[in-house]
Amino acid sequence: MKGVVSVFQSRKMKLHTTKSWDFIGFPQYVKRSKIESDVIIGVLDTGIWPESASFDDKGLGPPPSKWKGTCHASSNFTCNNKIIGAKYYKADKQFSETDIQSPRDSEGHGTHTASTAAGGIVKKASQLGFGFGTARGGVPSARIAVYKVGWSDGIDDADILAAYDDLIADGVDIVSASIGHSLPQDYFMDGLAVGSFHAMRKGILTSASAGNEGPKPATLTGFAPWLLSVAASTINRKFLTKVRLGNNKIFEGIHINPFDLKNKTFPLIYGLDASNSEVGVSGAYSRFCRRNSLDKKLVKGKIVYCDSDVDGQGPFLAGAAGFIGKGRVFGDLSFNLPLPGSYLNHNEASEVYKYLVTSSKPVATISRSEEVTDTQSPYVPSFSSRGPNPITPNILKPDIAAPGSLILAAWSPIAPSTELGVKGLGYNIISGTSMACPHATAAAAYVKSFHPKWSPAAIRSSLITTAKPMSSKINPEAEFAYGGGLINPTKAPYPGLVYDADELDYVKFLCGGGYSNDEILQFITGNDKLKCYKGSSRSATDLNYPSFALSIPPSQSITHVFHRTVTNVGSANSIYKAKVVAPKGLNVIVSPSVLSFTSIGEKESFSVKLKGNIDGIIASASLVWDDGTFQVRSPIVVYIAP
């Protein structure tokens, strides 16, 4: 039918689930553009809780004149001058009892991400006293347009594409999409990749979460080269939960435990010794404390020791007084708990086990969590999906990292704050690349407010080249964990130079990737004027991207040349000199090594030649163009293909 670009199976996606702004050097009273309130952020998520204080429209005028969208208002949902539009999508019409057939959020996730990006300033916010302080979005004057695509059974590609059709027509400036498939999908079989391509054509950048399948390599899901792929980083906040044994030994674990036992001790029991024999569970299984594996009679009123990273569901449902989990490693995720609990590392948990099996009457108590400073931050936690890019190995993904661990933001009070239905919170602390994505969205919107005519590629370039470098000492996956580094919104509007690209550049990239004219036309562009022809294709390494990645076979010496073009957006008259940092054995030759500009918007091209060998699986280098005022940094990664 005319107007149909592509047809493919609609698969299910998943949700990728304030101090953070201050931590990255973006204070409340940073310089703001006068037109920040004209920037519209489209949030693809589970909807929104409009009554939250984070979405109060006090001080905001009517929506900008460019806004063409609507609000699916009803008796239980209305928009205002902060939430200027709201729609919901469910192509299969299959609703569960917990689904609300309106843009209202019953999951909490969409409310959290929207407020992180563009929520207003709310003082004295906390989750049961944790994270107490002022909650705010990165661009508190920006407008929010809600596109509810997330439901209790997941997110369908079909709904993603319908939402993109609308948001493009509505006048959205930046899209925030904290969603993705469980496994990587081809560009043409992914609703987010297809939808974001069409948005890019209309000047709209999509910020997408990288996924929560780390630390395994090549687990990214939001990796199309025309969108911004965002990994999660920590902030200088962590929660420690102490366990005190009857022998007065104290161990510190993680998880957010809001319960105060007031030092009262409880009998300690091993999950292995409390198997639910009524349903045929053996101790070999009950020691992990999974759901329905524990005997309620044996664990009631006791603290259960578990040989796993449980989140408390099994012990809670069995009526336990608390639990102690085993297996924490550096960078692990903290859960909100439905009962007192703590998650210890292997060594500390082994000490608890020794006490448990040698004491005649083992007892323990668990303290309420304490918020402390994480002095090693920022680093990428274990859950954040890693590169390399699973479809196009020579395009570096993720692009950047942003705060995504233990983020306090608005919440839907009817949504559970734990897996077991604890409700009633107006603000919640959760972690995930879903939380990182709206931080990057807000940074992109901040850049857009100063440069409303910049292309999506220029905005993405500004975020990558101004990012703060991160350390591979903590994250040995290096750029495959954090891309260009930690976002730096304060510097992002002033990058000096940008690596720009448009629809034709991406079509040439697809041609170079082996896609045919029919595939490109039928699956993504819908434009028969954009075709592959002899000499039109472009290798992935020559896409005008602000980073450089090269995959090589084992034991092969390197000789490769990249080509790039930069556009001057800094000082009219400027001279940039190339500065290279590279490991021993890898030569990086930039030609020319000096770029001279005499006007804003002027373009200059250069090449980067890599020659030599790498020691190990991955080698990190960097190129900085420096004119004395602006430092334009691009990461360079050479790695042995897995």
Side-chain angles (χ1 to χ4, degrees):
M1 293 174 61
K2 186 178 180 181
V4 176
V5 172
S6 63
V7 177
F8 58 92
Q9 182 182 349
S10 179
R11 297 179 175 88
K12 292 286 184 186
M13 293 190 184
K14 299 193 301 183
L15 299 166
H16 289 162
T17 294
T18 255
K19 191 170 185 176
S20 55
W21 291 115
D22 290 327
F23 177 69
I24 61 174
F26 195 55
Q28 181 175 334
Y29 298 107
V30 73
K31 179 183 177 182
R32 300 280 179 183
S33 165
K34 293 180 180 179
I35 62 169
E36 182 178 296
S37 64
D38 287 342
V39 177
I40 303 169
I41 295 176
V43 182
L44 296 177
D45 217 296
T46 62
I48 200 165
W49 191 263
E51 293 82 8
S52 170
S54 289
F55 309 123
D56 191 315
D57 65 354
K58 184 178 180 181
L60 289 173
S65 58
K66 66 183 177 183
W67 175 244
K68 307 300 180 186
T70 58
C71 181
H72 285 178
S74 64
S75 59
N76 79 341
F77 189 95
T78 56
C79 294
N80 59 13
N81 286 330
K82 165 58 79 172
I83 305 171
I84 61 174
K87 301 176 182 179
Y88 66 98
Y89 306 82
K90 194 78 166 73
D92 64 11
K93 307 298 181 185
Q94 300 297 311
F95 298 96
S96 74
E97 291 183 0
T98 60
D99 288 329
I100 300 175
Q101 296 183 46
S102 85
R104 183 172 293 281
D105 181 15
S106 60
E107 302 286 323
H109 192 274
T111 300
H112 199 280
T113 58
S115 66
T116 300
I121 297 166
V122 180
K123 297 180 179 179
K124 299 181 180 180
S126 75
Q127 178 204 292
L128 301 173
F130 294 127
F132 183 85
T134 299
R136 61 184 172 93
V139 278
S141 297
R143 316 302 179 113
I144 297 171
V146 177
Y147 300 87
K148 180 177 176 178
V149 294
W151 304 88
S152 58
D153 64 348
I155 304 165
D156 280 322
D157 281 309
D159 296 327
I160 292 287
L161 289 170
Y164 263 106
D165 270 345
D166 283 348
L167 70 86
I168 291 169
D170 289 346
V172 162
D173 293 301
I174 304 288
V175 176
S176 191
S178 293
I179 55 179
H181 289 284
S182 299
L183 297 172
Q185 302 290 326
D186 186 88
Y187 298 129
F188 297 162
M189 297 292 112
D190 180 359
L192 183 61
V194 174
S196 61
F197 183 91
H198 287 274
M200 172 275 299
R201 296 172 68 187
K202 299 298 183 180
I204 305 166
L205 174 66
T206 295
S207 170
S209 49
N212 298 327
E213 305 301 324
K216 295 179 182 178
T219 48
L220 296 162
T221 57
F223 50 79
W226 44 82
L227 54 72
L228 178 70
S229 178
V230 188
S233 68
T234 58
I235 59 174
N236 60 339
R237 163 194 286 155
K238 64 180 179 180
F239 293 95
L240 295 181
T241 306
K242 294 179 181 178
V243 173
R244 181 170 60 83
L245 305 179
N247 59 9
N248 285 323
K249 286 189 176 181
I250 297 175
F251 303 100
E252 288 184 334
I254 59 171
H255 286 343
I256 303 176
N257 170 39
F259 306 98
D260 188 357
L261 297 180
K262 300 186 183 300
N263 290 319
K264 181 180 178 181
T265 59
F266 293 82
L268 187 61
I269 188 172
Y270 187 15
L272 182 145
D273 299 323
S275 59
N276 187 358
S277 57
E278 290 184 4
V279 294
V281 174
S282 68
Y285 183 70
S286 66
R287 70 189 183 96
F288 298 115
C289 301
R290 305 302 186 198
R291 278 179 179 243
N292 303 316
S293 68
L294 300 171
D295 188 321
K296 294 182 179 180
K297 296 177 183 177
L298 294 177
V299 303
K300 185 176 182 180
K302 298 177 183 176
I303 293 175
V304 188
Y305 173 80
C306 308
D307 278 329
S308 70
D309 59 344
V310 295
D311 57 9
Q313 296 184 40
F316 177 80
L317 293 172
F323 77 94
I324 299 169
K326 170 188 175 182
R328 175 172 71 94
V329 296
F330 181 80
D332 267 354
L333 180 65
S334 289
F335 293 106
N336 291 311
L337 299 178
L339 80 169
S342 186
Y343 182 29
L344 306 180
N345 66 33
H346 285 276
N347 292 336
E348 293 173 331
S350 295
E351 291 295 315
V352 175
Y353 175 75
K354 289 177 185 177
Y355 166 73
L356 173 62
V357 298
T358 57
S359 175
S360 59
K361 292 184 178 180
V363 295
T365 188
I366 302 170
S367 301
R368 176 180 164 90
S369 296
E370 298 178 56
E371 182 176 343
V372 299
T373 299
D374 187 348
T375 56
Q376 292 180 284
S377 286
Y379 54 88
V380 176
S382 58
F383 65 78
S384 186
S385 290
R386 265 57 169 184
N389 188 319
I391 300 296
T392 311
N394 290 339
I395 297 290
L396 177 61
K397 292 286 178 171
D399 290 308
I400 52 170
S405 180
L406 301 174
I407 304 301
L408 175 73
W411 194 250
S412 170
I414 64 171
S417 59
T418 71
E419 291 292 327
L420 294 165
V422 178
K423 300 179 180 180
L425 298 183
Y427 287 82
N428 197 10
I429 295 173
I430 55 177
S431 301
T433 56
S434 282
M435 287 62 255
C437 172
H439 281 87
T441 302
Y446 183 67
V447 174
K448 183 82 172 179
S449 72
F450 287 94
H451 306 287
K453 294 185 178 181
W454 276 14
S455 70
I459 294 173
R460 181 185 57 216
S461 175
S462 72
L463 294 172
I464 294 173
T465 62
T466 60
K468 299 175 183 177
M470 294 177 68
S471 173
S472 60
K473 292 181 180 179
I474 297 179
N475 292 121
E477 311 92 340
E479 285 78 10
F480 293 140
Y482 46 69
L486 184 66
I487 58 167
N488 188 359
T490 306
K491 286 189 66 176
Y494 317 104
L497 304 173
V498 294
Y499 295 78
D500 209 350
D502 59 19
E503 179 184 11
L504 181 58
D505 293 307
Y506 296 118
V507 170
K508 290 180 178 178
F509 153 78
L510 292 170
C511 294
Y515 295 99
S516 69
N517 273 326
D518 287 344
E519 288 174 316
I520 294 171
L521 171 65
Q522 294 175 10
F523 288 118
I524 197 162
T525 68
N527 186 348
D528 59 8
K529 294 181 180 179
L530 295 172
K531 293 182 178 181
C532 303
Y533 54 89
K534 189 174 181 180
S536 70
S537 64
R538 178 175 293 159
S539 69
T541 57
D542 281 342
L543 179 65
N544 202 37
Y545 217 74
S547 57
F548 302 80
L550 183 65
S551 168
I552 61 171
S555 305
Q556 179 175 305
S557 60
I558 305 157
T559 301
H560 189 85
V561 179
F562 300 83
H563 298 91
R564 294 291 190 271
T565 298
V566 287
T567 304
N568 182 25
V569 295
S571 305
N573 293 290
S574 53
I575 298 175
Y576 285 84
K577 296 180 180 179
K579 296 182 178 180
V580 171
V581 175
K584 185 178 180 181
L586 180 64
N587 293 319
V588 180
I589 304 163
V590 183
S591 180
S593 60
V594 176
L595 300 178
S596 298
F597 298 92
T598 57
S599 63
I600 300 296
E602 185 179 351
K603 299 178 184 294
E604 291 288 344
S605 298
F606 64 94
S607 65
V608 175
K609 185 176 183 179
L610 304 183
K611 195 171 183 179
N613 298 277
I614 64 171
D615 182 16
I617 296 174
I618 180 173
S620 299
S622 64
L623 163 65
V624 177
W625 287 108
D626 190 343
D627 74 339
T629 301
F630 302 102
Q631 290 75 45
V632 189
R633 182 182 182 275
S634 291
I636 302 172
V637 182
V638 181
Y639 70 102
I640 296 174

